[in-house]
């Protein structure tokens, strides 16, 4: 039976890394993403902040107590989504379309066919390099024969790591870890296991399946399989039609420079168009999104009589919307979004253009 080669790609401190890319002065400073109030929690902490013991889901007030110089930036989810789409598009166009998206900052890839010519480690290194070159961000990658071990491998070496975790490596790399390192072992389960003198994954590995089921109920069978590296190798990659596609960015400083704004808009139109072309889909509506110096998001849209994926047409409309509504305005953010998406096959007229 052929083993699958599965990669787990996890963007390093994703939200914080995007903010650092937008504002390079934040690099090497303790940074968290979240709202700066007493009720908010940390969405993401960069690796500098993590040295102080700060982590995701920690209350902001606790994070501030741990680091007096902590920098707190409000999240910009639409921008993180733009980066997410750019990363997935890159992986699809340059590597494989067998991608299962887990969340905004991680995904699985089935590279079994690709690995017939190149080693999985080499492919992982190529992915890291391309994401760094084209997107400007770093990622960590786990390599295994199934999804559980691939995801576990990613966490063993971060940031910017490439780690294998095959079943013959479990005793060396996985079993010596604390039970809290297992994805499905939460705080209450960990406490219960500690009370039963089970502290390391190797302690779980010594128990048979019946013992674990008796100890943990139905979850015991699943934990037994994961401890021994048994998990699904199926990457679910059914194509789903997006509701919209967008790309946008925040300027380093507020600007009313027409050349800078139109040049940036052209870049975003190209990003959106490339995804339309790759996905073989058309859009019937395009929206220019801007954020003014007062930080208020404004959108202006045009709906086409005929759906399109033509870059020149989309760019002409975007420039027109800018000139009619925002010329000489000082802007902080600009973005382009298309919606009312349909596949080309649902628009036969497009085939005869």
């Amino acid at each position: 039976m052929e083993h699958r080669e599965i990669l787990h790609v996890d963007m390093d401190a994703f939200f914080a890394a995007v903010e650092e890319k937008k504002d390079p002065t934040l690099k090497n400073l303790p940074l968290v993403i979240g709202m700066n109030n007493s009720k908010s929690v940390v969405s993401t902490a960069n690796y500098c902040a993590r040295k102080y013991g700060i982590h995701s889901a920690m209350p902001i007030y606790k994070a501030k107590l741990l680091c007096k110089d902590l920098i707190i930036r409000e999240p910009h989810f639409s921008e993180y989504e733009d980066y997410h789409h750019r990363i997935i598009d890159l992986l699809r166009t340059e590597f494989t379309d067998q991608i299962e998206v887990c969340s905004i900052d991680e995904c699985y890839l089935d590279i079994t066919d690709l690995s017939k010519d190149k080693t999985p480690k080499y492919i992982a290194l190529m992915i890291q390099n391309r994401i760094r070159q084209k997107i400007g961000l770093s990622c960590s990658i786990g390599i295994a024969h199934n999804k559980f071990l691939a995801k576990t491998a990613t966490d063993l070496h971060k940031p910017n790591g490439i780690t294998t975790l095959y079943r013959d490596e479990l005793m060396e790399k996985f079993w010596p870890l604390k039970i809290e390192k297992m994805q499905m072992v939460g705080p209450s389960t960990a406490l219960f296991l500690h009370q039963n003198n089970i502290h390391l994954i190797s302690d779980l590995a010594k128990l048979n399946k019946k013992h674990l089921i008796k100890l943990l109920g139905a979850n015991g069978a699943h934990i037994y399989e994961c401890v021994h590296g048994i998990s699904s190798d199926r990457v679910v990659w059914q194509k789903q039609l997006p509701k919209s596609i967008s790309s946008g960015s925040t300027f380093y400083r507020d600007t009313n420079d027409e050349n800078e704004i139109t040049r940036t808009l052209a870049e975003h139109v190209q990003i959106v168009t490339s995804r339309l072309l790759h996905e073989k889909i058309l859009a019937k509506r395009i929206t220019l999104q801007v954020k003014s110096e007062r930080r208020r998001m404004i959108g202006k849209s045009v709906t086409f009589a005929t759906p399109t994926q033509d870059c020149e047409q989309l760019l002409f409309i975007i420039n027109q919307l800018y000139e009619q509504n925002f010329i000489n305005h000082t802007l902080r953010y600009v973005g382009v979004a298309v919606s009312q998406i349909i596949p080309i096959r649902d628009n036969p007229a497009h085939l005869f253009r």
Side-chain angles (χ1 to χ4, degrees), residues 112-127:
T112 306
D113 292 338
L114 287 175
S115 62
K116 290 173 182 175
D117 300 320
K118 300 177 178 68
T119 67
K121 273 193 173 180
Y122 180 77
I123 295 167
L125 183 61
M126 286 172 62
I127 288 171

Side-chain angles (χ1 to χ4, degrees), residues 41 48 216:
V41 298
C48 184
L216 298 169

Side-chain angles (χ1 to χ4, degrees), residues 5-57:
E5 291 291 349
I6 309 297
L7 301 187
H8 177 253
V9 178
D10 193 356
M11 302 307 298
D12 296 325
F14 183 46
F15 295 175
V18 171
E19 297 299 333
E20 288 175 1
K21 187 174 186 304
K22 289 158 46 184
D23 182 357
T25 63
L26 295 172
K27 286 188 177 180
N28 303 316
L29 298 175
L31 169 70
V32 299
I33 308 304
M35 304 303 291
N36 193 0
N37 60 57
S38 59
K39 294 181 180 180
S40 182
V41 298
V42 173
S43 176
T44 305
N46 70 359
Y47 289 94
C48 184
R50 293 181 196 190
K51 292 176 183 176
Y52 293 86
I54 298 167
H55 56 79
S56 297

Side-chain angles (χ1 to χ4, degrees), residues 66-107:
L66 290 172
C67 177
K68 64 181 179 65
D69 297 320
L70 186 66
I71 298 168
I72 303 167
R73 284 289 169 94
E74 292 185 6
H76 299 96
F77 293 113
S78 63
E79 293 181 34
Y80 308 150
E81 206 170 302
D82 290 340
Y83 273 90
H84 161 79
H85 288 308
R86 288 169 61 190
I87 292 162
I88 298 301
D89 287 347
L90 184 153
L91 295 174
R92 279 200 179 113
T93 54
E94 298 192 19
F95 296 95
T96 179
D97 59 0
Q98 297 190 43
I99 300 174
E100 179 179 335
V101 176
C102 318
S103 67
I104 197 169
D105 63 350
E106 58 181 316
C107 64

Side-chain angles (χ1 to χ4, degrees), residues 49-216:
R50 293 181 196 190
K51 292 176 183 176
Y52 293 86
I54 298 167
H55 56 79
S56 297
M58 174 180 281
I60 288 286
Y61 77 88
K62 280 191 178 180
K64 289 162 82 172
L65 290 174
L66 290 172
C67 177
K68 64 181 179 65
D69 297 320
L70 186 66
I71 298 168
I72 303 167
R73 284 289 169 94
E74 292 185 6
H76 299 96
F77 293 113
S78 63
E79 293 181 34
Y80 308 150
E81 206 170 302
D82 290 340
Y83 273 90
H84 161 79
H85 288 308
R86 288 169 61 190
I87 292 162
I88 298 301
D89 287 347
L90 184 153
L91 295 174
R92 279 200 179 113
T93 54
E94 298 192 19
F95 296 95
T96 179
D97 59 0
Q98 297 190 43
I99 300 174
E100 179 179 335
V101 176
C102 318
S103 67
I104 197 169
D105 63 350
E106 58 181 316
C107 64
Y108 294 106
L109 282 72
D110 187 332
I111 59 159
T112 306
D113 292 338
L114 287 175
S115 62
K116 290 173 182 175
D117 300 320
K118 300 177 178 68
T119 67
K121 273 193 173 180
Y122 180 77
I123 295 167
L125 183 61
M126 286 172 62
I127 288 171
Q128 273 191 341
N129 288 340
R130 288 302 290 143
I131 290 176
R132 189 181 300 109
Q133 291 164 3
K134 204 163 182 182
I135 312 295
L137 301 174
S138 76
C139 66
S140 296
I141 301 177
I143 308 169
H145 291 322
N146 62 53
K147 293 193 289 189
F148 170 76
L149 291 181
K151 183 173 174 65
T152 301
T154 308
D155 290 333
L156 296 180
H157 185 191
K158 295 185 78 174
N160 201 39
I162 295 176
T163 312
T164 62
L165 186 57
Y166 295 114
R167 289 185 69 182
D168 60 2
E169 298 177 300
L170 293 177
M171 191 178 294
E172 174 196 351
K173 294 182 178 180
F174 185 44
W175 288 359
L177 302 176
K178 294 179 180 179
I179 53 172
E180 287 84 357
K181 290 292 184 180
M182 284 194 70
Q183 298 160 33
M184 71 291 300
V185 175
S188 57
T189 302
L191 179 61
F192 177 75
L193 290 171
H194 285 308
Q195 290 169 347
N196 284 271
N197 205 32
I198 298 169
H199 308 291
L200 303 175
I201 295 172
S202 58
D203 297 329
L204 287 170
K206 294 171 187 174
L207 305 178
N208 62 40
K209 195 171 186 176
K210 286 183 179 177
H211 190 151
L212 276 173
I213 292 172
K214 186 177 179 181
L215 197 65
L216 298 169

Side-chain angles (χ1 to χ4, degrees), residues 241 280-282 306-307 341-351:
L241 207 62
K280 297 181 174 62
I281 53 181
L282 308 168
T306 304
I341 305 289
I342 66 166
I344 286 180
R345 64 177 178 273
D346 288 355
N347 187 51
H350 185 83
L351 303 175

